Amino acid sequence: MLPVRALLGGLVAIAVALAAWVNGSLSRSGAIAAAALASLCVVGGWSWAAVLFMYFIAATAIGRFTGSDTILGLEGVVAKGQARDAAQVVANGGVFALAAALTSVAGLPWLVAGGLGALAASSADTWATDIGVRYGVRPRSLVSRTYVRPGESGGVTEMGFAGSLFGAAAVGAAALAAGFSGGLVFASTVAGVFGSLADSVIGATLQERRWCDHCREPTEKAIHGCGHASRQIGGIQRLDNDVVNLLSTLAGFLFGVLGYCLLLRLGNRGSLV
């Protein structure tokens, strides 16, 4: 049954990815990567694929609603636009899809908690950025507490933090609707918020920071929107936003596993099955 399920799931994944490519949510490479990740999720079970699908719909909707990639001049700050490419798709959903596929081999509850935590971290970060940029005040660095430009990595606002809570809860609600246990959903939702905070810390400390001398403003782009080359002024070279997103989903995975272990320690085994 597994090969048949994987084949059917792959066909559905390809159809959904093509639709996302057509409406501009994904680039061509992003659509291919999304179809591959969705197929991996189906290997773990339809419930995993359902959570990924609902995550994608929610993330796309919140991005379109807030228009975060085009307001406040963010097109000159962020490296990529609204259509996600393969690197972005894998960075945000790769850990979740891999955890889903592995559960078909070893159905370990902590693996489920980690996988859901990874996707919740991605969702929390996406919602935090979109809502924080659209409705928040000028952000501060989570580490130095100095003001940064909207959209600049490491910056947080109160509205952005509220957005991370909603984003993590959105994955939790999707997981609950897909039949995952309440304990696992709770652990992964909390893990998602902490994973999003890890994203901000890594973005403020380790992510490559660049500067356009011509426009005298920070950017993530090697070639700024003005057409001039930017220069590195801090962080680790090539540790860009995609790498930061991947690290934050890994943090969400680890926090999800930790949350699962804590619930077991507290004697809440019944809520985890």
Side-chain angles (χ1 to χ4, degrees):
M1 287 297 295
L2 183 58
V4 174
R5 185 175 67 189
L7 177 61
L8 290 175
L11 293 175
V12 173
I14 291 172
V16 173
L18 282 174
W21 175 43
V22 170
N23 71 16
S25 299
L26 296 174
S27 68
R28 181 164 56 183
S29 68
I32 295 172
L37 293 188
S39 298
L40 280 177
C41 288
V42 174
V43 172
W46 289 108
S47 57
W48 288 88
V51 173
L52 182 66
F53 177 73
M54 287 185 277
Y55 153 83
F56 175 73
I57 293 298
T60 300
I62 193 67
R64 293 292 174 86
F65 176 75
T66 59
S68 60
D69 287 338
T70 56
I71 63 174
L72 301 177
L74 289 193
E75 64 277 4
V77 178
V78 297
K80 299 177 181 180
Q82 191 171 19
R84 295 188 172 191
D85 61 18
Q88 290 172 296
V89 170
V90 172
N92 284 279
V95 175
F96 173 79
L98 183 59
L102 288 175
T103 57
S104 67
V105 179
L108 302 173
W110 62 264
L111 192 58
V112 178
L116 292 175
L119 195 66
S122 172
S123 180
D125 178 59
T126 298
W127 283 56
T129 300
D130 290 344
I131 293 179
V133 166
R134 181 65 178 85
Y135 299 106
V137 295
R138 187 178 179 186
R140 290 177 181 266
S141 168
L142 187 62
V143 176
S144 66
R145 301 306 300 158
T146 57
Y147 286 108
V148 297
R149 287 194 62 183
E152 190 173 343
S153 294
V156 296
T157 64
E158 291 181 357
M159 286 298 294
F161 180 71
S164 72
L165 295 176
F166 284 115
V171 169
L176 200 61
F180 289 95
S181 69
L184 289 175
V185 168
F186 174 77
S188 62
T189 300
V190 175
V193 176
F194 280 105
S196 177
L197 291 175
D199 183 283
S200 295
V201 172
I202 297 170
T205 57
L206 301 180
Q207 182 174 343
E208 181 184 48
R209 297 189 299 280
R210 306 190 67 85
W211 180 265
C212 176
D213 289 318
H214 182 263
C215 299
R216 302 189 62 80
E217 63 182 26
T219 181
E220 293 180 358
K221 297 181 176 181
I223 303 298
H224 194 224
C226 65
H228 290 77
S230 63
R231 60 184 175 89
Q232 183 182 358
I233 59 173
I236 299 175
Q237 188 175 18
R238 300 189 185 283
L239 202 159
D240 59 13
N241 191 62
D242 292 337
V243 179
V244 173
N245 286 340
L246 177 60
L247 292 175
S248 73
T249 59
L250 286 171
F253 180 91
L254 294 176
F255 282 122
V257 173
L258 178 61
Y260 169 82
C261 293
L262 287 176
L263 287 176
L264 277 185
R265 186 71 180 235
L266 294 173
N268 292 325
R269 179 180 294 274
S271 67
L272 297 170
V273 296

